[in-house]
Amino acid sequence: MIQETIKNFLQQHHISRDAGFILAVSGGADSICMLHAFKYLNLKMLVLHCNFSLRGKESDMDEQFVKRFCDSYGIAHSVKKFDTLKYARENGLSVEMAARELRYTWFREMKEKKKKWILFLTKVNELLRSKL
């Protein structure tokens, strides 16, 4: 299970279970699975959710889902809404690259506020680990 993967990762990298973890949660199955696992392991966490405003009401529904999920479990969370299309136009970027820049800039800002916390990201069933 994913809980075992997380526990093994923490052990292999000598990361204390008392550390704080910043989780990037999209609201999709992969990130919600990871969030459940961290909650099950009773790890201290802060959830970050990006609303890129690219899918209209669907983007807002993902945001609300993540907020409600976190609220129902007492998990600290922060949400940021971006005007991704405007940012892409103003900076001559593809929408995908604009979203990536916006996301990682915000993640770095949040990581700076929580200096000793560890940032975990998810993507396509793969647990990515990063210390931005």
Side-chain angles (χ1 to χ4, degrees):
M1 295 308 266
I2 193 167
Q3 291 93 339
E4 288 302 315
T5 301
I6 293 168
K7 285 196 301 191
N8 290 339
F9 176 83
L10 297 178
Q11 289 172 350
Q12 290 170 356
H13 293 85
H14 309 289
I15 299 170
S16 169
R17 290 176 54 105
D18 296 328
F21 299 92
I22 301 171
L23 306 181
V25 175
S26 67
D30 294 349
S31 63
I32 293 299
C33 180
M34 178 183 69
L35 180 53
H36 267 289
F38 272 74
K39 179 66 179 160
Y40 177 83
L41 292 170
N42 202 30
L43 298 172
K44 182 170 58 174
M45 63 187 130
L46 168 65
V47 167
L48 302 182
H49 174 78
C50 298
N51 181 339
F52 294 108
S53 306
L54 295 172
R55 297 177 295 117
K57 289 182 182 179
E58 286 184 38
S59 293
D60 294 336
M61 288 171 50
D62 285 345
E63 176 183 327
Q64 290 306 312
F65 173 74
V66 171
K67 285 180 178 179
R68 283 193 311 270
F69 185 96
C70 290
D71 286 342
S72 69
Y73 286 101
I75 299 169
H77 58 281
S78 184
V79 172
K80 188 154 185 173
K81 194 167 194 165
F82 299 100
D83 188 341
T84 308
L85 294 175
K86 179 180 176 187
Y87 184 85
R89 271 192 314 274
E90 290 176 351
N91 293 282
L93 299 170
S94 69
V95 173
E96 182 179 338
M97 288 305 297
R100 182 175 292 133
E101 280 189 16
L102 291 166
R103 177 174 58 242
Y104 287 129
T105 297
W106 184 47
F107 290 170
R108 283 186 195 97
E109 290 169 6
M110 296 303 286
K111 175 71 173 101
E112 189 59 30
K113 292 179 183 180
K114 301 279 190 182
K115 291 187 185 295
K116 295 187 178 186
W117 287 44
I118 298 161
L119 180 63
F120 272 74
L121 310 173
T122 63
K123 183 177 179 179
V124 195
N125 293 322
E126 182 180 357
L127 193 57
L128 299 178
R129 302 102 177 150
S130 176
K131 292 184 180 181
L132 290 178

